Amino acid sequence: MEIIFATANRHKLKEAQSIAGTEFQLLSSASLGVTEDIEETGATLKENALIKAKYLWEKFGRPCFADDTGLEIDALEGRPGVYSARYAGEGCSFADNVQKVLKEMNGITNRGARFKTIVALITDGTPHFFEGCVEGTITETTSGEKGFGYDPVFKPAGYDTTMAEMSEEEKNRISHRGIAVTKMIEYLRQYNK
Ligand code: IMP
């Protein structure tokens, strides 16, 4: 079974394909010629994931899914949340976002946070949602060069390192996106019987 994944990110595609195994062939929307940015105008991760999945469903009428991820920081009332990609402003870099978080968290002792991913899957017109979550804390300074986004300041619960210090395999094993995609694949295995 082929499934279209709303992404142009090769790392995300590789991660999802390694979870999907050989039963499901994932095709990136970019490889099918979708070069436009699908506008994420939703107020929640779920709405944004659905907007992207629906866009592909309407365009291709084939099984497809999309994900949306946010970092929720308790002391910041869940921010940056749905605004994680552009927290420091339109066109900002990952480093700008990280610096903004560190500044806002300066002197705050409650450092609890989580990465949350929502996946929206459409195989027959009706969307199905899957959630993945990793609890952790925001560090005082950046550590590590791997990964992307907020990885250098996010330490998963039970680990001594930030996500930016983990190998790709280690991060994928525990990641919010990995958990959500695993749930989706388990659902598809049932549905495909
Ligand atoms: P997206 O929905 O996957 O595009 O993620 C939105 C934003 O959340 C990204 O621009 C990153 O800043 C952040 N983000 C998503 N996934 C991760 C991750 O695995 N580690 C660190 N930051 C992430």
Side-chain angles (χ1 to χ4, degrees), residues 4-95:
I4 306 169
F5 181 9
T7 191
N9 181 326
R10 271 184 293 127
H11 296 284
K12 276 196 190 179
L13 183 70
K14 191 173 153 221
E15 177 187 358
Q17 185 64 68
S18 77
I19 294 168
T22 51
E23 268 162 277
F24 303 99
Q25 286 79 49
L26 306 189
L27 309 169
S28 74
S29 52
S31 74
L32 296 177
V34 179
T35 49
E36 62 275 23
D37 259 343
I38 306 165
E39 269 205 64
E40 298 183 17
T41 49
T44 61
L45 299 175
K46 188 174 176 181
E47 280 175 29
N48 280 339
L50 182 60
I51 287 170
K52 291 184 275 186
K54 258 187 169 167
Y55 182 90
L56 293 182
W57 175 256
E58 278 159 20
K59 198 172 175 87
F60 298 106
R62 292 168 60 186
C64 56
F65 72 98
D67 69 323
D68 203 42
T69 294
L71 173 65
E72 297 178 352
I73 302 177
D74 293 335
L76 303 181
E77 295 165 337
R79 293 194 313 275
V82 73
Y83 304 109
S84 293
R86 47 192 186 282
Y87 195 42
E90 229 30 76
C92 63
S93 66
F94 288 142

Side-chain angles (χ1 to χ4, degrees), residues 69-187:
T69 294
L71 173 65
E72 297 178 352
I73 302 177
D74 293 335
L76 303 181
E77 295 165 337
R79 293 194 313 275
V82 73
Y83 304 109
S84 293
R86 47 192 186 282
Y87 195 42
E90 229 30 76
C92 63
S93 66
F94 288 142
D96 296 334
N97 285 335
V98 163
Q99 286 313 316
K100 179 165 180 181
V101 161
L102 284 181
K103 201 166 155 202
E104 289 188 328
M105 291 297 286
N106 190 23
I108 294 179
T109 48
N110 170 14
R111 305 195 71 89
R114 68 206 52 76
F115 274 121
K116 199 178 269 178
T117 293
I118 304 288
V119 164
L121 167 76
I122 309 182
T123 54
D124 57 6
T126 307
H128 294 273
F129 297 95
F130 306 90
E131 182 177 320
C133 189
V134 185
E135 295 287 339
T137 49
I138 302 298
T139 52
E140 307 266 351
T141 55
T142 62
S143 302
E145 307 278 314
K146 301 190 192 92
F148 68 100
Y150 299 91
D151 282 343
V153 289
F154 185 81
K155 194 190 280 187
Y159 289 79
D160 285 333
T161 61
T162 68
M163 271 188 164
E165 295 171 286
M166 293 180 166
S167 67
E168 205 179 327
E169 297 74 50
E170 196 175 9
K171 180 183 162 184
N172 290 349
R173 219 173 24 245
I174 64 159
S175 97
H176 39 100
R177 208 171 8 258
I179 294 168
V181 172
T182 301
K183 287 182 183 169
M184 178 189 79
I185 294 296
E186 281 166 3
Y187 168 84

